[in-house]
Amino acid sequence: MKEGVEAALGRGVACLSLMENWRSSKTIVQTAEHVVSEGAFDRGHRAADRTYSPPVKVVSHSCAKKEAVWVADTISKLVQRDRTMRGCDVAVLGRTTAVLNEVRRELVQRGLAGEHSAGPGERETELTTELRNLLRVVANPRDDMALIGLLSAVKNVGPKTIQKCTTDVPEGQLMVALQSGTQQSNLTKTAANAVGTVLRLVERLVNLQPAGSDGSSDAIVAEFVRHKNSMDPDSIISAHMLQAALQSSVVGVSPVSRDQPDGGVELCTVHAAKGLEWRCVFIVGCEEGLFPHERTFKDHEQVEEERRLMFVGMTRACDLLHLSYAHSRFQAGNLLVPKGSRFLSELPAHCVERISLS
C-alpha cells in the first residue's frame, strides 16, 4: 500500500508510517487495539512509554438517565479534585447525537457544558427556530414568512417546492391556498406529502391552542416534540430540552455558565471528534444496536467500520477513558433493554476496570 501511495503522488514523494501513538496512554492504546484486532483490521500501533497510565473504566448503569447523572457528577468531581483539569479538557462522545441529549442536560444544569458543544446544541438551535415559526403560524395563519420558514425546515421541501407553493398567491393567503390544494398540483408526490404533513400538524396545534393564548402552551410544544420524534427516530428530543432552549434564546442568555473563561465540556459524535483530543473522554451509549449501530448488523464490512470508529473515539483520550452503557434507554418513544456492546466484551482484562452501578 505504501508503494502504491508513493507512486500515485509522484516522483520524489516519500510516504512515512507513524506507528507510535504519543497522544494516548499505553493502557488506552492497548485497549483500543483490541477492538480493531478482533476484526479484520489491525493498526499495530505502539504506545509511547508514559508513566501515567490508569485503567480504562467500563461502567454499566440501570438506565440512560442514571448514566447521564454519573457522567456529570464524575466530571464535576474530577475538575474539583484536579486543579489542572479544566472543563475544556473533557469530552463526552456518542455514536449518535440522540445518546448525548441526557448528558448535555445534566451538564448544563451544573454549568459545565461547552457553549459550542457540537451535535445536540446545534440541533436545539434548529429546532428552536422551527418551533418559533410553528408558534407564529398557529397564532396567525396569515403569517406567510413563518409558514415558508416552517416548510423550508422539512425534508423533501426545497427552494423549487417553495417557489411553486408561493406562485401567484396573494399576501397572507398562503395557508389557505395550500389547504385548498390548488398549489400542490404542480408538486412531486414526495414534496406534496411533506407539505401535507406540515399542514396537518398546524391543524392539530390550532385545535390544541387555548382561547386567547399566544400559541406557546406546553401542549403545543409537547405535540411538536411527538411529531419530530416520529419523523426522525435517531434524533430524539424532549419537551424539557426544547422549552429550555426556547427560553434561553428568547431572553438572549446562554444556558452555559459564563464563569468558565477556559470553556466547558465538549459534546459531539465520534465522527465529529476525528482529529481532536482531550485529556479525559467519556463514550456513552456503548450498547448493542447503538455502537455498533443496528443498521450495520447485516453487513460484516459495516461492523468493521464501527470497530474503526470505536478505535477513533477511544484514542481521542490522552489520560483518562470511560466507556459506559445503560441497561434501559428510550429511543423513538420505545423502551429498549440493550446489552453492552460486543466491543466491551473484547477488551483485555489487565487494561480495564469494570464497574457496575446498575
Side-chain angles (χ1 to χ4, degrees):
M1 178 179 178
K2 177 179 177 181
E3 291 76 12
V5 172
E6 291 178 345
L9 292 176
R11 185 177 177 182
V13 176
C15 181
L16 303 178
S17 298
L18 304 178
M19 300 306 296
E20 191 161 13
N21 183 318
W22 287 90
R23 176 197 302 118
S24 306
S25 71
K26 186 175 182 179
T27 303
I28 292 173
V29 173
Q30 290 180 347
T31 305
E33 285 285 349
H34 267 73
V35 173
V36 289
S37 64
E38 287 291 330
F41 188 76
D42 191 349
R43 291 178 180 267
H45 280 162
R46 296 186 302 272
D49 187 13
R50 296 172 52 183
T51 304
Y52 186 59
S53 190
V56 173
K57 292 187 177 180
V58 177
V59 187
S60 65
H61 308 270
S62 59
C63 64
K65 172 66 175 179
K66 291 187 177 180
E67 177 188 47
V69 171
W70 171 80
V71 170
D73 286 345
T74 302
I75 293 174
S76 181
K77 293 174 183 176
L78 181 63
V79 173
Q80 292 174 10
R81 183 175 64 248
D82 186 348
R83 293 184 178 275
T84 67
M85 183 76 73
R86 302 168 300 169
C88 59
D89 293 324
V90 183
V92 182
L93 310 181
R95 174 63 178 79
T96 65
T97 59
V99 301
L100 296 170
N101 288 337
E102 286 280 3
V103 178
R104 188 172 191 274
R105 282 194 291 273
E106 294 297 327
L107 292 176
V108 167
Q109 290 177 6
R110 292 164 173 77
L112 290 170
E115 190 167 351
H116 301 292
S117 295
E122 297 171 358
R123 178 64 173 150
E124 286 178 17
T125 301
E126 296 172 1
L127 290 168
T128 301
T129 301
E130 189 175 350
L131 176 59
R132 191 182 306 283
N133 284 327
L134 180 60
L135 293 173
R136 285 172 55 185
V137 172
V138 170
N140 178 20
R142 295 174 60 87
D143 190 337
D144 289 349
M145 292 304 297
L147 181 54
I148 291 172
L150 183 60
L151 291 170
S152 299
V154 178
K155 185 178 179 181
N156 297 320
V157 176
K160 290 184 178 179
T161 300
I162 295 296
Q163 183 179 11
K164 292 178 180 178
C165 287
T166 56
T167 299
D168 298 328
V169 176
E171 183 178 352
Q173 296 300 311
L174 180 57
M175 176 65 75
V176 175
L178 292 176
Q179 289 176 331
S180 67
T182 57
Q183 297 301 111
Q184 299 187 47
S185 58
N186 295 326
L187 302 182
T188 65
K189 183 177 180 180
T190 302
N193 288 337
V195 171
T197 299
V198 173
L199 297 180
R200 289 189 293 273
L201 173 63
V202 172
E203 184 178 357
R204 290 201 306 272
L205 297 186
V206 168
N207 293 332
L208 285 174
Q209 183 182 4
S213 169
D214 61 358
S216 59
S217 71
D218 291 341
I220 290 179
V221 174
E223 181 62 25
F224 174 72
V225 167
R226 283 193 290 271
H227 169 76
K228 296 302 293 185
N229 288 341
S230 66
M231 299 295 291
D232 187 2
D234 280 339
S235 186
I236 303 304
I237 60 175
S238 71
H240 173 76
M241 178 193 79
L242 202 53
Q243 287 280 26
L246 184 64
Q247 183 177 1
S248 65
S249 65
V250 168
V251 300
V253 177
S254 169
V256 182
S257 172
R258 295 294 186 177
D259 297 329
Q260 299 179 71
D262 53 4
V265 177
E266 292 289 335
L267 296 99
C268 65
T269 63
V270 179
H271 279 105
K274 292 180 178 179
L276 304 177
E277 63 180 64
W278 295 269
R279 288 179 60 188
C280 176
V281 168
F282 293 78
I283 302 181
V284 298
C286 296
E287 300 143 23
E288 281 292 298
L290 287 178
F291 208 169
H293 199 280
E294 61 182 353
R295 290 196 298 260
T296 69
F297 287 172
K298 295 182 179 180
D299 188 327
H300 176 72
E301 179 52 37
Q302 288 189 31
V303 173
E304 294 306 301
E305 180 60 30
E306 293 286 289
R307 288 185 181 279
R308 296 190 279 272
L309 190 60
M310 175 64 85
F311 178 92
V312 168
M314 295 172 70
T315 53
R316 298 311 91 199
C318 297
D319 301 323
L320 301 173
L321 175 62
H322 304 77
L323 308 173
S324 74
Y325 64 99
H327 290 295
S328 65
R329 185 184 301 273
F330 278 98
Q331 186 173 3
N334 299 316
L335 178 63
L336 305 181
V337 187
K339 299 185 296 182
S341 170
R342 69 187 71 178
F343 302 151
L344 301 183
S345 63
E346 298 164 356
L347 303 182
H350 67 281
C351 294
V352 172
E353 177 185 355
R354 298 185 183 271
I355 303 172
S356 176
L357 298 180
S358 53

